[in-house]
Amino acid sequence: MSMNSFGHLFRVTTWGESHGPALGATVDGCPPGVTIDEAMIQHWLDKRKPGQSKFTTQRREPDAVKILSGVFEGQTTGTPVQLMIENTDQRSKDYGDIMEKFRPGHADITYWQKYGIRDYRGGGRSSARETASRVAAGGLAREAIKQIAPNVQITGYMTQIGTHKIDRANFDWSQIEQNPFWTPDAQAAEDWAVYLDDLRKSGNSVGAVVEVVARGVPAGLGAPVYAKLDTDLAAAMMSINAVKGVEIGEGMAAAELTGEANADEIFMGQDGPQYSSNHAGGILGGISTGQDVVVRFAVKPTSSILTTRKTITKSGEETEIITKGRHDPCVGIRAVPVGEAMMACVILDHLLLHRGQIGENRGRIG
Amino acid sequence: MSMNSFGHLFRVTTWGESHGPALGATVDGCPPGVTIDEAMIQHWLDKRKPGQSKFTTQRREPDAVKILSGVFEGQTTGTPVQLMIENTDQRSKDYGDIMEKFRPGHADITYWQKYGIRDYRGGGRSSARETASRVAAGGLAREAIKQIAPNVQITGYMTQIGTHKIDRANFDWSQIEQNPFWTPDAQAAEDWAVYLDDLRKSGNSVGAVVEVVARGVPAGLGAPVYAKLDTDLAAAMMSINAVKGVEIGEGMAAAELTGEANADEIFMGQDGPQYSSNHAGGILGGISTGQDVVVRFAVKPTSSILTTRKTITKSGEETEIITKGRHDPCVGIRAVPVGEAMMACVILDHLLLHRGQIGENRGRIG
Amino acid sequence: MSMNSFGHLFRVTTWGESHGPALGATVDGCPPGVTIDEAMIQHWLDKRKPGQSKFTTQRREPDAVKILSGVFEGQTTGTPVQLMIENTDQRSKDYGDIMEKFRPGHADITYWQKYGIRDYRGGGRSSARETASRVAAGGLAREAIKQIAPNVQITGYMTQIGTHKIDRANFDWSQIEQNPFWTPDAQAAEDWAVYLDDLRKSGNSVGAVVEVVARGVPAGLGAPVYAKLDTDLAAAMMSINAVKGVEIGEGMAAAELTGEANADEIFMGQDGPQYSSNHAGGILGGISTGQDVVVRFAVKPTSSILTTRKTITKSGEETEIITKGRHDPCVGIRAVPVGEAMMACVILDHLLLHRGQIGENRGRIG
Amino acid sequence: MSMNSFGHLFRVTTWGESHGPALGATVDGCPPGVTIDEAMIQHWLDKRKPGQSKFTTQRREPDAVKILSGVFEGQTTGTPVQLMIENTDQRSKDYGDIMEKFRPGHADITYWQKYGIRDYRGGGRSSARETASRVAAGGLAREAIKQIAPNVQITGYMTQIGTHKIDRANFDWSQIEQNPFWTPDAQAAEDWAVYLDDLRKSGNSVGAVVEVVARGVPAGLGAPVYAKLDTDLAAAMMSINAVKGVEIGEGMAAAELTGEANADEIFMGQDGPQYSSNHAGGILGGISTGQDVVVRFAVKPTSSILTTRKTITKSGEETEIITKGRHDPCVGIRAVPVGEAMMACVILDHLLLHRGQIGENRGRIG
């Protein structure tokens, strides 16, 4: 219900804005006995941290997480875990134009229209900084998953920047950590570096597609109608800043398939059902099949660009705007660890929901 | 939280399965004083009803809705409205293969794996019949919206069947009600009829893309993080059977745009801000801009086809299956009124949420 | 969130009013595989049914429950169970005064002030008939509990009518089913019959206290802050019509105890901790101890009485009112099965919540 | 749903334990534009602060609140407000017995049985320190209420300590702030001081009754079934540590009244309906009448006492325990501002809910 919470049983409420004293995540419903410390969460925050390559914003913040509650002697207690990240880079600057003008393609205008409050310091609650809280919560979710379903592995990567897509023939899991784009296609990484560098220098920005895969998810998670695993994944990914589309398995391309082509045929393997293909993205009727759960989302280009755009002021006068300052030429890059975090939160939540309602999987095959 | 409820303040819980005595929607939180009767809801159910053209399943049911509660002397009372549809076509038949075999691409197998219960009579809760309940609830939502935001108009239509897309140059709102595909492109309707008739005769099926537009939505609905208007729309559409992808505005194509191309420039109109374009689909930072709210979703092809596919039985034996009987060659067609209903429910819910937290829009422009 | 739902994972939404076509409960989150049929639920409805003795309203309705969904071949499927009770006694009558006048002590006036709708036919949604839906849901909850925690036994009984209290020395579980007051004190039952008969003849009414005990509840259910087992029990009981007070264990009398007197000393028994007393009512820090869970609530006297009372009309004129017609001299009697039903729903919900977050109890003693 | 959240639209999630680095409240759904600063919240925390008289624990902490988010330039922004209180008195001490033994009447044992985690440092999450977070959230709620319903006034006070009750004839609102017991009966305050001083010296403790009144609440807040105003108040108060009973209006005494005595007769006043009495405690059918909303709750005596009590250890051995150290002889005293805070949160939440569903009261009288 609440506007800043996500999840059913593993419930994450994020708080804080880009230029306040701190931001964080209040995590309720974490199982007790999960081994966790700040370093384990910091690992994932460091992955998202800006300023790691020339392709991300040069705002430099340590994004150091502090655990304020819910952990005792290195283990979760089962009570709320408060994960706080202090904002250190609140340098006073001349906000100039932004105080009065709305940036086209940015939440400035809708924020003002809804709340009548303008936090001109950097996007306030609509800043991408909010996603740091999600990454922290996702880090905790990953450790809790290890306890309940240790085979689950969650990995995100980029499959497209602008019109440049990866070649699936080059897909190599081991490449993902080897390049600043978290892409499994080494060749694409090289090409994108050149392309993005040009774009960055011209002060423009571009969109991207991120794919997140969860391997080892047990069959049976989800439910047929509104608490579908794919419904919750769609909500999770669409809630990330700048995301405009979400796909499960074939996604929008499912429209182009015939029933014959789309059917993932079923065989009997050693440990249960096996499938000839995975058009379904690991989810049938809202419930996981045991195959890889595959989600993809599109991130729009940053609205903060160096090109002059037409806009209006709070008082309704027509004018123009250029957004100077540090920005990400492709915010999609930093969305990779955010997408992974959301996947982790959704998977854990559904593991708990399933255990709550069902206890354990009931329908054995074979 | 609950697995069969949707919405925050206007909260719809659907219940029932394809071959039980009845199904319906329990609608909680409807404002009082909304003028409603069964005929007003029946109007929308008739639009979704099967058997209206040769392109939809020949299962024929009146889908007659009964209002069991929450309405007194033609007006909602503010208490739960129970909308019930009795199942009349429960003809006993030979379920044969389906009792033991899983249909590839169908929820049969995951349902069994989760619940250990197999309602072999027709998909049980995962049947598309569940969407009749949504359409009924959506009919009520439309009337409530009229009371609060009378300018809102919600319209769905098909933009693609298989690889065949509409030509946006032919877009004509008045065509939508003139063809069995609810498409605004009259030429496409003709072409699709030929294409789909062939497909139907061959016992195959195909996917589709549906677009739903809400015009006249006031600026300010939604919130920046998890209760984003687009998050709730994504969840709403992804929760519809067979949907595999959801897009807002540019959707997945946003990945291909530069920041310069994507920026919807802002001007000052008579009644407030005007935009040069609507790449954003009417939503910025999770909050409505006052432009058309544009959602698109892909529906996969029906898994019930006449082609033999490989599968397994409950006891784990490998076998083959053909699904005979009445089916939709393109379930996307009947998804149009369902998408409209979900849009209506989400818009109403956010109108109420906004009124609850804010009272009225606070930030005036000009 | 929704206004007519109760519970976290086992979630009951009741709907319907006293004089509409039907009322019922939409039950979401019930575990699959629970053996259930209409007769098993009818058993509890019959216990609550009016007209069983001269001490309850003479409105005679069969209150026959129909299961419309969520049960297949005698077992719950894990999807929503719709329990419907048709209203058969909707006799047209002269509502006379009630259409315009507000009954003192009745929800007539607040209902009107909130909704601007007056369902004058019998209290609408605020009628005690709504509690039939709860009893139906509670019947299902009892069967689900049997599957998860088979030792749980839930029993309600009256401990007070007006100023007449039971003598705890006479407490005999076997007496509860032997008298129309569901009281464990046979002597009290005799005395109350005389007292209440006089009161009934004079057209007056009186309040009562009901106690509900759950025996065999495992230790560990609940949580320390807002999802306390006692918080949910207090909400459950206070949500029943006419309830004005709720107590756990010592209840209000806890105020009179010293810390020394209140401490339930702990010993080690065969199967775990044993306590010298149960001032706590089986709940410490919001979590069950394994002792009997003891809840008590006060029901106010019916406001429909034959004495003339001063009141006003919808148009604000001062006047007087007498409520003729069938009524309960002590609604507390029929609140006994309702209290039991709410206890069953809360206990089941917490069994599922606990299993969801924790899996199984972790802290062994001894 | 979540275990540490309270409220529907104005939603408070508290976090933190007695001996961690900090605790606080994450407040979601606060209306924008509420004027607030740390001092305004500190005012209420100071009222609850320990060590203010010899009748409360001598643990001395400043309980200084910091606003970490959701406020910009002195006004709420409509996004989450994070209220943090750092724990300063975490002095290392010898926990001795408490690490292995369970205190009778304390959550030690249930906590361990549920979570398998023992935060022996001071009660962890079940410590009364958690209520500081509630008081902070309540301080914010009070300011938001001022904006929406400026006539609302919320006042709590003690009406009973042990067996010593106030004399209602002495009731004087102006006395409440004049004595350490927040009691409106000056004579009682004197008597209680003597009584409690003796009790304190003997190392014993005692229970209490607190009453909280909200004056000026508009008619129409609440709903008839589960989101009753009294249901939410009962849950709110029962969720406070050590509370064992909750009453609305007549409360448990309603059982002793006849329908004739209980009916609050209605007259027509200048500004709407007036009542001859307020047995109902300002709530009929779950909806506010416009009269004073009156809630009462009983607080049990502290379990930490100097008397030796029998108990067991984690390993199941029988033993004895004395709880030395700083403690409250009557925790009921410090429960007064906590009860007020919960009342404020519930009233604000229902103001928002009502505005969301209804817009404004619809049913005019006269």
Side-chain angles (χ1 to χ4, degrees):
Chain A
M1 166 68 246
S2 54
M3 280 160 274
N4 293 277
S5 296
F6 186 82
H8 306 270
L9 279 178
F10 181 79
R11 194 161 173 83
V12 176
T13 304
T14 68
W15 54 272
E17 41 270 341
S18 57
H19 286 69
L23 46 77
T26 310
V27 183
D28 198 4
C30 187
V34 176
T35 301
I36 195 80
D37 63 22
E38 289 168 355
M40 293 161 88
I41 292 174
Q42 194 63 46
H43 172 78
W44 303 105
L45 279 165
D46 287 348
K47 188 169 172 183
R48 176 199 163 281
K49 201 166 59 178
Q52 298 194 103
S53 78
K54 59 185 169 183
F55 306 116
T56 58
T57 173
Q58 297 309 300
R59 174 169 171 156
R60 292 187 182 280
E61 300 227 40
D63 277 357
V65 69
K66 286 185 187 168
I67 299 175
L68 296 185
S69 67
V71 176
F72 182 56
E73 297 182 338
Q75 288 200 312
T76 57
T77 61
T79 62
V81 180
Q82 182 59 262
L83 302 169
M84 181 177 74
I85 300 159
E86 283 166 299
N87 286 321
T88 54
D89 186 13
Q90 307 171 51
R91 53 171 147 165
S92 109
K93 67 168 188 180
D94 177 14
Y95 291 98
D97 276 3
I98 305 181
M99 288 184 67
E100 290 303 318
K101 296 180 184 179
F102 301 114
R103 286 166 284 182
H106 194 278
D108 285 347
I109 190 167
T110 51
Y111 222 82
W112 170 255
Q113 285 177 303
K114 183 177 192 85
Y115 299 113
I117 296 281
R118 184 77 191 277
D119 184 347
Y120 47 77
R121 297 167 304 170
R125 189 72 180 137
S126 65
S127 164
R129 252 191 95 55
E130 183 272 340
T131 59
S133 306
R134 303 176 185 228
V135 172
L140 175 57
R142 283 178 186 264
E143 297 305 317
I145 290 171
K146 276 186 197 166
Q147 181 184 277
I148 299 172
N151 293 327
V152 172
Q153 265 187 287
I154 293 168
T155 315
Y157 43 87
M158 290 187 74
T159 61
Q160 185 178 341
I161 286 188
T163 54
H164 307 276
K165 300 182 185 180
I166 63 165
D167 179 348
R168 295 264 168 184
N170 295 343
F171 197 108
D172 179 352
W173 292 100
S174 70
Q175 285 297 320
I176 295 172
E177 304 259 345
Q178 308 301 320
N179 60 75
F181 306 105
W182 318 105
T183 183
D185 175 352
Q187 183 60 51
E190 282 183 41
D191 299 345
W192 295 355
V194 177
Y195 165 73
L196 209 59
D197 207 31
D198 283 355
L199 197 82
R200 181 180 62 83
K201 286 173 186 159
S202 72
N204 209 339
S205 64
V206 75
V209 175
V210 173
E211 191 167 286
V212 183
V213 175
R215 290 173 281 175
V217 174
L221 302 193
V225 180
Y226 299 115
K228 285 181 162 166
L229 186 56
D230 33 359
T231 298
D232 283 355
L233 285 169
M237 300 310 168
M238 194 63 96
S239 76
I240 300 171
N241 306 50
V243 171
K244 300 303 282 186
V246 179
E247 303 187 314
I248 306 291
E250 284 292 332
M252 298 305 290
E256 309 198 351
L257 293 180
T258 61
E260 191 177 335
N262 187 59
D264 300 316
E265 291 184 299
I266 317 176
F267 302 88
M268 197 61 199
Q270 284 295 95
D271 307 317
Q274 296 292 326
Y275 296 82
S276 63
S277 50
N278 189 12
H279 297 292
I283 304 174
L284 285 172
I287 302 171
S288 61
T289 63
Q291 291 183 278
D292 289 358
V293 174
V294 182
V295 184
R296 214 172 302 106
F297 57 91
V299 183
K300 71 177 185 185
T302 332
S303 55
S304 300
I305 51 175
L306 289 180
T307 316
T308 302
R309 309 302 296 160
K310 291 183 178 150
T311 190
I312 60 174
T313 65
K314 270 163 56 178
S315 47
E317 280 154 39
E318 297 193 341
T319 178
E320 294 186 332
I321 193 166
I322 293 183
T323 315
K324 289 171 189 150
R326 307 161 298 174
H327 78 280
D328 282 291
C330 177
V331 279
I333 299 171
R334 290 170 58 214
V336 172
V338 181
E340 289 178 332
M342 295 312 285
M343 174 70 93
C345 291
V346 171
I347 295 291
L348 175 58
D349 191 28
H350 277 275
L351 283 165
L352 301 182
L353 268 178
H354 182 78
R355 186 163 72 175
Q357 191 194 6
I358 315 283
E360 52 178 296
N361 284 359
R362 292 167 29 92
R364 309 260 174 261
I365 292 175
Chain B
M1 166 69 245
S2 55
M3 280 159 273
N4 293 276
S5 297
F6 187 81
H8 306 271
L9 279 178
F10 181 79
R11 194 161 172 82
V12 176
T13 304
T14 69
W15 55 272
E17 40 270 340
S18 56
H19 286 70
L23 46 77
T26 309
V27 183
D28 199 3
C30 187
V34 176
T35 301
I36 194 80
D37 62 22
E38 289 168 356
M40 293 162 86
I41 292 175
Q42 194 62 47
H43 172 78
W44 301 106
L45 279 166
D46 288 348
K47 188 170 173 184
R48 177 201 162 279
K49 201 166 61 178
Q52 298 195 101
S53 78
K54 60 185 169 184
F55 306 116
T56 58
T57 172
Q58 296 309 301
R59 174 171 172 155
R60 291 187 183 279
E61 301 225 38
D63 278 359
V65 70
K66 286 185 187 167
I67 298 176
L68 296 185
S69 68
V71 176
F72 182 56
E73 298 182 338
Q75 288 200 313
T76 57
T77 61
T79 62
V81 181
Q82 182 59 262
L83 302 169
M84 181 177 72
I85 299 159
E86 282 165 302
N87 287 322
T88 55
D89 186 12
Q90 307 171 49
R91 56 171 145 166
S92 106
K93 68 167 188 182
D94 177 14
Y95 291 99
D97 276 5
I98 305 181
M99 288 184 66
E100 290 303 319
K101 296 180 183 177
F102 301 114
R103 285 167 285 181
H106 193 279
D108 285 347
I109 190 166
T110 51
Y111 222 80
W112 169 255
Q113 286 177 303
K114 183 178 192 85
Y115 299 113
I117 297 281
R118 182 78 191 279
D119 185 346
Y120 47 77
R121 297 168 304 171
R125 188 74 180 136
S126 65
S127 164
R129 253 193 95 56
E130 183 271 338
T131 60
S133 306
R134 303 176 185 227
V135 172
L140 175 57
R142 282 177 187 265
E143 298 305 318
I145 290 171
K146 277 187 197 165
Q147 182 183 276
I148 300 172
N151 294 327
V152 172
Q153 264 187 287
I154 293 168
T155 315
Y157 44 85
M158 290 188 73
T159 60
Q160 184 178 340
I161 286 188
T163 54
H164 307 274
K165 301 182 185 181
I166 63 166
D167 180 349
R168 295 262 167 187
N170 295 342
F171 197 107
D172 178 353
W173 290 101
S174 69
Q175 284 297 318
I176 294 173
E177 304 259 345
Q178 308 301 320
N179 61 74
F181 305 106
W182 318 105
T183 184
D185 175 351
Q187 182 58 52
E190 281 182 43
D191 300 345
W192 294 357
V194 177
Y195 166 72
L196 208 60
D197 207 32
D198 283 354
L199 197 81
R200 181 180 62 82
K201 286 173 187 159
S202 73
N204 208 340
S205 64
V206 74
V209 174
V210 173
E211 191 167 285
V212 183
V213 174
R215 291 172 282 175
V217 173
L221 303 193
V225 181
Y226 298 116
K228 287 181 160 167
L229 185 56
D230 34 359
T231 298
D232 282 356
L233 285 169
M237 300 310 168
M238 193 62 96
S239 76
I240 300 172
N241 305 49
V243 172
K244 300 303 284 185
V246 180
E247 302 188 315
I248 305 291
E250 284 292 334
M252 298 304 292
E256 308 198 351
L257 294 179
T258 61
E260 191 176 336
N262 187 59
D264 301 315
E265 290 183 300
I266 317 177
F267 302 89
M268 196 62 197
Q270 284 294 95
D271 307 316
Q274 297 293 325
Y275 295 81
S276 63
S277 50
N278 189 12
H279 297 293
I283 304 173
L284 285 173
I287 302 171
S288 61
T289 61
Q291 292 184 276
D292 290 356
V293 174
V294 182
V295 184
R296 214 173 302 106
F297 57 91
V299 183
K300 72 177 183 183
T302 333
S303 55
S304 300
I305 51 174
L306 289 178
T307 316
T308 302
R309 308 303 296 160
K310 289 182 180 153
T311 190
I312 60 173
T313 65
K314 270 163 57 177
S315 48
E317 280 154 40
E318 298 194 339
T319 180
E320 294 185 332
I321 194 166
I322 293 183
T323 315
K324 289 171 190 150
R326 307 161 297 175
H327 77 280
D328 282 291
C330 178
V331 280
I333 300 172
R334 290 170 58 214
V336 172
V338 181
E340 290 178 332
M342 297 310 288
M343 174 71 93
C345 291
V346 171
I347 295 291
L348 175 58
D349 191 29
H350 276 275
L351 282 165
L352 301 182
L353 268 178
H354 182 77
R355 185 163 74 175
Q357 192 195 3
I358 314 285
E360 52 177 297
N361 283 359
R362 291 167 29 92
R364 312 259 173 259
I365 292 175
Chain C
M1 166 69 246
S2 54
M3 280 160 274
N4 292 276
S5 297
F6 186 82
H8 306 270
L9 279 178
F10 181 79
R11 193 159 174 85
V12 176
T13 304
T14 69
W15 55 272
E17 40 270 341
S18 56
H19 286 69
L23 46 76
T26 309
V27 183
D28 198 4
C30 187
V34 176
T35 301
I36 195 80
D37 62 22
E38 289 167 355
M40 293 161 87
I41 292 175
Q42 194 62 46
H43 172 79
W44 302 106
L45 279 166
D46 288 348
K47 188 169 173 184
R48 177 199 162 280
K49 201 167 60 178
Q52 298 194 104
S53 79
K54 59 185 170 185
F55 306 116
T56 57
T57 174
Q58 296 308 301
R59 172 170 173 156
R60 290 187 184 279
E61 299 226 40
D63 278 358
V65 70
K66 285 185 188 166
I67 299 176
L68 297 186
S69 68
V71 176
F72 182 56
E73 298 182 337
Q75 288 200 314
T76 57
T77 61
T79 62
V81 181
Q82 182 58 263
L83 302 169
M84 181 177 72
I85 300 159
E86 283 165 300
N87 286 322
T88 55
D89 186 13
Q90 307 172 50
R91 54 171 146 165
S92 107
K93 68 166 188 183
D94 176 15
Y95 290 98
D97 277 4
I98 306 181
M99 288 184 67
E100 290 303 318
K101 296 180 182 178
F102 301 114
R103 285 166 286 182
H106 194 278
D108 286 346
I109 190 167
T110 51
Y111 223 80
W112 169 254
Q113 287 177 302
K114 184 178 192 84
Y115 299 113
I117 296 282
R118 183 75 191 280
D119 185 347
Y120 47 78
R121 297 167 306 171
R125 188 73 181 135
S126 64
S127 163
R129 253 193 94 56
E130 183 271 340
T131 60
S133 306
R134 302 176 186 227
V135 172
L140 175 57
R142 282 177 187 264
E143 298 305 317
I145 290 171
K146 276 186 196 164
Q147 181 184 277
I148 299 171
N151 293 328
V152 172
Q153 265 186 287
I154 293 168
T155 315
Y157 44 86
M158 291 188 71
T159 61
Q160 185 177 343
I161 286 187
T163 54
H164 307 275
K165 301 182 185 182
I166 62 166
D167 179 349
R168 295 263 169 184
N170 295 343
F171 197 107
D172 178 353
W173 291 101
S174 69
Q175 285 298 318
I176 294 172
E177 304 260 343
Q178 309 301 319
N179 61 73
F181 307 106
W182 319 105
T183 183
D185 175 351
Q187 183 58 53
E190 283 182 41
D191 300 345
W192 295 355
V194 177
Y195 165 73
L196 208 60
D197 207 32
D198 284 354
L199 196 81
R200 180 180 63 82
K201 286 172 185 159
S202 72
N204 208 338
S205 64
V206 75
V209 174
V210 173
E211 191 167 286
V212 183
V213 175
R215 292 173 280 175
V217 173
L221 303 194
V225 180
Y226 298 116
K228 285 181 162 169
L229 185 57
D230 34 359
T231 298
D232 283 355
L233 285 169
M237 300 310 169
M238 194 62 96
S239 76
I240 301 171
N241 305 50
V243 171
K244 300 303 282 185
V246 180
E247 302 187 316
I248 306 290
E250 285 292 333
M252 298 305 291
E256 309 198 350
L257 294 179
T258 62
E260 190 176 338
N262 187 59
D264 301 314
E265 291 183 301
I266 317 175
F267 302 87
M268 196 62 198
Q270 284 294 95
D271 308 315
Q274 296 293 324
Y275 296 81
S276 64
S277 50
N278 189 13
H279 298 292
I283 304 174
L284 285 172
I287 302 171
S288 62
T289 62
Q291 291 184 277
D292 289 357
V293 174
V294 182
V295 183
R296 213 173 302 107
F297 57 91
V299 182
K300 72 176 183 184
T302 332
S303 55
S304 301
I305 52 174
L306 289 178
T307 316
T308 302
R309 309 302 295 160
K310 289 182 179 151
T311 189
I312 60 174
T313 65
K314 270 163 56 176
S315 48
E317 280 154 39
E318 298 194 340
T319 179
E320 294 186 330
I321 193 167
I322 293 184
T323 313
K324 288 171 191 150
R326 306 161 299 175
H327 77 279
D328 282 292
C330 177
V331 280
I333 299 172
R334 290 171 57 214
V336 172
V338 181
E340 289 178 333
M342 296 311 288
M343 174 70 93
C345 290
V346 171
I347 295 291
L348 175 58
D349 191 29
H350 277 276
L351 283 165
L352 301 183
L353 268 178
H354 181 78
R355 186 163 73 176
Q357 192 195 4
I358 314 284
E360 52 178 296
N361 284 357
R362 292 167 30 91
R364 311 259 172 261
I365 292 175
Chain D
M1 167 68 246
S2 56
M3 280 159 274
N4 293 278
S5 297
F6 186 80
H8 306 271
L9 279 177
F10 182 79
R11 194 161 172 83
V12 176
T13 304
T14 69
W15 55 272
E17 41 270 340
S18 56
H19 286 69
L23 46 77
T26 309
V27 183
D28 198 3
C30 188
V34 176
T35 301
I36 194 79
D37 62 21
E38 289 168 356
M40 292 161 88
I41 293 175
Q42 194 62 47
H43 172 79
W44 302 105
L45 279 166
D46 287 349
K47 187 168 173 184
R48 177 200 162 280
K49 201 167 61 179
Q52 298 192 103
S53 79
K54 61 185 169 184
F55 306 116
T56 57
T57 173
Q58 297 309 299
R59 173 171 173 156
R60 291 186 182 280
E61 300 226 39
D63 278 357
V65 69
K66 286 186 188 167
I67 298 175
L68 297 186
S69 68
V71 176
F72 182 56
E73 298 182 338
Q75 287 200 313
T76 57
T77 61
T79 62
V81 181
Q82 182 59 262
L83 302 169
M84 181 178 72
I85 300 158
E86 283 165 301
N87 286 322
T88 54
D89 186 13
Q90 307 171 50
R91 55 170 145 166
S92 109
K93 69 169 189 181
D94 176 14
Y95 291 98
D97 275 5
I98 305 180
M99 288 184 65
E100 290 303 317
K101 296 179 183 178
F102 302 114
R103 285 166 285 181
H106 193 279
D108 285 347
I109 191 167
T110 51
Y111 221 81
W112 169 254
Q113 286 177 303
K114 183 177 192 86
Y115 299 113
I117 296 282
R118 184 76 191 279
D119 184 347
Y120 47 78
R121 297 167 303 171
R125 187 74 180 135
S126 65
S127 164
R129 252 192 95 56
E130 183 272 340
T131 60
S133 306
R134 303 176 184 228
V135 171
L140 175 57
R142 283 176 185 265
E143 298 305 318
I145 290 172
K146 277 187 197 165
Q147 180 184 280
I148 300 172
N151 293 328
V152 172
Q153 264 188 287
I154 293 167
T155 316
Y157 43 86
M158 290 188 74
T159 61
Q160 184 177 341
I161 286 188
T163 54
H164 308 275
K165 301 182 184 180
I166 63 165
D167 180 349
R168 294 263 168 186
N170 295 343
F171 197 108
D172 178 354
W173 292 101
S174 69
Q175 284 298 318
I176 295 172
E177 303 259 345
Q178 308 301 319
N179 59 74
F181 307 106
W182 318 105
T183 185
D185 175 352
Q187 183 59 51
E190 282 183 42
D191 299 345
W192 295 356
V194 177
Y195 165 72
L196 208 59
D197 207 32
D198 283 355
L199 197 80
R200 181 179 62 83
K201 285 172 185 160
S202 73
N204 209 339
S205 64
V206 75
V209 175
V210 173
E211 191 167 285
V212 183
V213 175
R215 291 173 281 176
V217 174
L221 302 194
V225 180
Y226 298 115
K228 287 182 160 165
L229 184 57
D230 33 359
T231 298
D232 283 355
L233 286 169
M237 300 310 169
M238 194 63 95
S239 76
I240 301 171
N241 305 49
V243 171
K244 300 303 282 185
V246 179
E247 302 187 316
I248 305 291
E250 284 291 333
M252 298 306 290
E256 309 199 351
L257 294 180
T258 61
E260 192 176 336
N262 187 59
D264 300 315
E265 291 184 299
I266 318 176
F267 302 88
M268 198 60 200
Q270 284 294 95
D271 308 316
Q274 296 292 325
Y275 296 82
S276 63
S277 50
N278 189 11
H279 297 293
I283 304 174
L284 285 173
I287 302 171
S288 61
T289 62
Q291 292 185 276
D292 289 356
V293 174
V294 182
V295 184
R296 214 172 302 105
F297 57 90
V299 182
K300 71 177 186 184
T302 333
S303 55
S304 301
I305 51 175
L306 289 178
T307 316
T308 301
R309 309 303 295 160
K310 289 181 180 155
T311 189
I312 60 173
T313 65
K314 269 163 56 177
S315 48
E317 279 154 41
E318 299 193 340
T319 180
E320 294 185 331
I321 193 166
I322 293 183
T323 314
K324 289 171 189 151
R326 309 161 296 175
H327 77 279
D328 282 291
C330 177
V331 279
I333 300 171
R334 290 171 57 214
V336 172
V338 181
E340 290 178 333
M342 295 311 286
M343 175 70 94
C345 291
V346 171
I347 295 291
L348 175 59
D349 192 28
H350 276 275
L351 283 165
L352 301 182
L353 268 178
H354 181 77
R355 185 163 73 174
Q357 192 195 2
I358 315 284
E360 52 178 297
N361 283 359
R362 291 168 29 92
R364 310 260 173 260
I365 292 174

